Amino acid sequence: MGTIVYTSPCLCWKMCASERRRFRARASACSSEGTKSDEESEKKCGMVNRRFAMISGASMVLGFSGEGLAVVKQGLLAGRVPGLSEPDEQGWRTYRRPDDKSGGHGVGWSPIIPYSFSVPQEWDEVPVSIADLGGTEIDLRFASPKEGRLFVIVAPVKRFSDTLGEDITIEEIGPPEKVINAFGPEVIGENVEGKVLSSEVTEDSGRKYYHFELEPPHVLITATAAGNRLYLFSVTGNGLQWKRHYSDLNRIARSFRVI
């Protein structure tokens, strides 16, 4: 994984200004230099001019703390386009996966169908690492220091079965028990036998959703399917968070929808 280094705009501007003065002096010396051959002088001046152009361009991008830096940040973070709404009257925000957010999970797979869910105002997106449980199939993470954390796994179903089509439903994958036994380990990293406290099936806009509560660890899972992918929405917290904020965590889990 690469490392992003942010440079102080003020420091960069001072450095670039100093460099510009130095290279102008060298360029001027080049133009008046008569002791060297024309070919050697032209080569030296060309190198000076090219380096000066690069420094000037960098100062234009990084030398201003406003729009220039915003452009650089947008380029570096293009895969994490914000999708949160403003808080409603209860302080909850709705996240909708942006249509142009990157992440296809493999060559040949169709674009990920957008999904949405609601969280209290203090929840925010956090970076996803390829070292996470679930690897590159974790599409999104959110967390709250006070209440808990969540993540979304978007898994291609053909990794688990060659007989499923390109526009599947959760029922085609199987009943709730089969789904949680097959895909629960994708969420908690271990066999779910004996850990499922409850399961339920709901329907919204013609799409079925399977809801599970597991313990231990404390986790709520909402599963559905769309296109050629299975969506697993996991909401969890430690013991104290679970005890104090279970109603909010349950509301978050129940809010998940594939649009």
Side-chain angles (χ1 to χ4, degrees), residues 8-46:
S8 166
C10 294
L11 178 61
C12 179
W13 178 252
K14 290 177 182 178
M15 292 174 63
C16 291
S18 174
E19 287 288 272
R20 287 199 306 274
R21 287 194 297 270
R22 187 162 64 89
F23 279 101
R24 281 196 186 103
R26 290 177 62 182
S28 176
C30 269
S31 63
S32 60
E33 187 173 319
T35 59
K36 298 182 181 296
S37 68
D38 290 342
E39 181 179 353
E40 185 178 357
S41 179
E42 180 179 348
K43 183 183 297 184
K44 181 178 179 181
C45 292

Side-chain angles (χ1 to χ4, degrees), residues 203-230:
E203 184 173 338
D204 184 85
S205 300
R207 191 184 304 280
K208 293 283 180 64
Y209 294 84
Y210 294 172
H211 305 276
F212 307 96
E213 181 172 341
L214 279 64
E215 188 178 283
H218 301 290
V219 60
L220 297 164
I221 300 172
T222 298
T224 193
N228 53 18
R229 292 183 174 88
L230 176 76

Side-chain angles (χ1 to χ4, degrees), residues 3 5 101 137 181 183 186 218 223 242 244:
T3 301
V5 179
K101 181 180 178 180
E137 288 172 1
N181 287 336
F183 298 102
E186 297 286 310
H218 301 290
W242 197 259
R244 291 182 175 178

